[in-house]
C-alpha cells in the first residue's frame, strides 16, 4: 500500500516527464520550419563623413532597413533579436564589423517592417580606412524560442561603398 506522499511524488515525476517530452517534441517540430527571411538595406544618405581629431574615421548614414522575418515565427518563437552591421576588410583585420542598428521583434505581426533611420550606433573605424571603402551590410538575427536552443543566421547584402572624400 502506497502512502499519499509517495503517490503525489510519482504523479509529479510523471507530469515533469510528460512536460520534458513535450518540450523536446516542440523544439524538434520547430526544426522542420525552414525560415525564408528577406532583407534589404538602402543607404539613403551620407549625412557626414569625417576624420576625428584622434585620427579615426566616422561616418553618419541614413538607412532604409526593410525586412520580412515573419517566416521565422512559429508557435515556439518567443522573440527575434535583429541587428544590422557594416562589414569591411582592412590591412589590419580581415573582418571589421560595426553594428549600426538593432531591434527586438516581439511577434509575427511586427516581423514585416521597414524603418527609415540614421545609424543608431556610431560607425567609427579604428584608423582612417573608410575613404572609398567597399563594405557589406548584414542583417543578423537570433531567434529566441520558448523552448529549445537559440539559433542565429544572417543575410549579407553586398556592393556598398563609402565616398572617396570627407564631407
Ligand atoms: C523604405 O523601403 C520600403 C520597402 O522597400 C519602401 O516601401 C519605403 O517607401 C522606403 N522608405 C523610404 C523613406 O525610402
Ligand atoms: C561581402 O560579402 C561577400 C559575400 O559574402 C564577400 O565575398 C566579400 O568579401 C564581402 N566584402 C567585404 C568588403 O567584406
Amino acid at each position: 500500500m502506497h502512502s499519499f506522499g509517495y503517490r503525489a511524488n510519482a504523479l509529479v515525476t510523471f507530469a515533469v516527464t510528460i512536460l520534458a517530452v513535450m518540450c523536446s517534441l516542440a523544439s524538434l517540430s520547430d526544426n522542420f520550419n525552414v525560415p525564408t527571411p528577406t532583407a534589404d538595406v538602402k543607404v539613403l544618405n551620407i549625412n557626414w563623413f569625417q576624420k576625428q581629431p584622434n585620427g579615426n574615421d566616422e561616418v553618419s548614414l541614413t538607412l532604409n532597413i526593410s525586412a520580412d522575418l515573419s517566416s521565422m515565427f512559429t508557435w515556439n518563437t518567443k522573440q527575434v533579436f535583429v541587428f544590422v552591421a557594416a562589414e569591411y576588410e582592412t590591412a589590419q583585420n580581415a573582418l571589421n564589423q560595426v553594428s549600426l542598428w538593432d531591434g527586438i521583434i516581439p511577434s509575427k505581426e511586427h516581423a514585416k517592417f521597414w524603418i527609415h533611420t540614421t545609424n543608431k550606433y556610431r560607425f567609427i573605424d579604428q584608423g582612417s580606412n573608410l575613404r572609398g571603402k567597399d563594405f557589406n551590410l548584414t542583417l543578423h538575427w537570433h531567434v529566441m524560442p520558448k523552448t529549445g536552443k537559440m539559433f542565429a543566421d544572417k543575410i549579407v547584402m553586398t556592393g556598398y561603398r563609402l565616398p572617396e572624400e570627407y564631407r
Side-chain angles (χ1 to χ4, degrees), residues 40 42 44 64 66 114 116:
D40 182 39
K42 289 201 167 60
L44 299 181
N64 185 9
S66 56
W114 66 265
H116 180 201

Side-chain angles (χ1 to χ4, degrees), residues 43-69:
V43 177
L44 299 181
N45 194 39
I46 310 282
N47 304 316
W48 46 264
F49 182 24
Q50 292 169 355
K51 184 174 178 150
Q52 299 171 331
N54 62 14
N56 291 337
D57 278 353
E58 179 169 6
V59 60
S60 166
L61 307 172
T62 299
L63 305 171
N64 185 9
I65 302 165
S66 56
D68 184 351
L69 309 180

Side-chain angles (χ1 to χ4, degrees), residues 5-167:
Y6 177 85
R7 271 188 287 163
N9 191 10
L11 199 63
V12 168
T13 307
F14 179 67
V16 168
T17 307
I18 292 286
L19 196 64
V21 167
M22 276 166 50
C23 285
S24 47
L25 280 179
S27 45
L28 201 65
S29 78
D30 209 38
N31 289 343
F32 294 118
N33 177 53
V34 180
T36 50
T38 57
D40 182 39
V41 181
K42 289 201 167 60
V43 177
L44 299 181
N45 194 39
I46 310 282
N47 304 316
W48 46 264
F49 182 24
Q50 292 169 355
K51 184 174 178 150
Q52 299 171 331
N54 62 14
N56 291 337
D57 278 353
E58 179 169 6
V59 60
S60 166
L61 307 172
T62 299
L63 305 171
N64 185 9
I65 302 165
S66 56
D68 184 351
L69 309 180
S70 40
S71 62
M72 285 177 199
F73 282 82
T74 66
W75 59 273
N76 190 32
T77 308
K78 192 163 150 204
Q79 60 184 24
V80 175
F81 171 72
V82 281
F83 70 96
V84 170
E87 297 183 353
Y88 59 96
E89 291 169 23
T90 55
Q92 297 83 19
N93 298 303
L95 176 65
N96 298 273
Q97 188 186 64
V98 183
S99 176
L100 302 180
W101 175 87
D102 63 11
I104 288 173
I105 319 286
S107 67
K108 190 168 189 162
E109 290 69 46
H110 296 92
K112 191 174 175 187
F113 64 92
W114 66 265
I115 176 168
H116 180 201
T117 179
T118 55
N119 49 297
K120 179 171 166 185
Y121 304 110
R122 298 173 72 183
F123 187 171
I124 299 177
D125 178 65
Q126 304 298 322
S128 54
N129 299 302
L130 294 186
R131 277 169 301 164
K133 179 59 74 185
D134 289 316
F135 67 105
N136 287 340
L137 287 171
T138 50
L139 182 98
H140 296 250
W141 61 85
H142 294 246
V143 177
M144 292 161 202
K146 289 177 181 154
T147 157
K149 276 213 289 285
M150 190 182 86
F151 70 93
D153 207 345
K154 65 177 178 180
I155 290 178
V156 180
M157 290 155 278
T158 59
Y160 301 86
R161 176 166 222 178
L162 287 167
E164 299 286 345
E165 303 296 334
Y166 297 121
R167 53 169 87 159

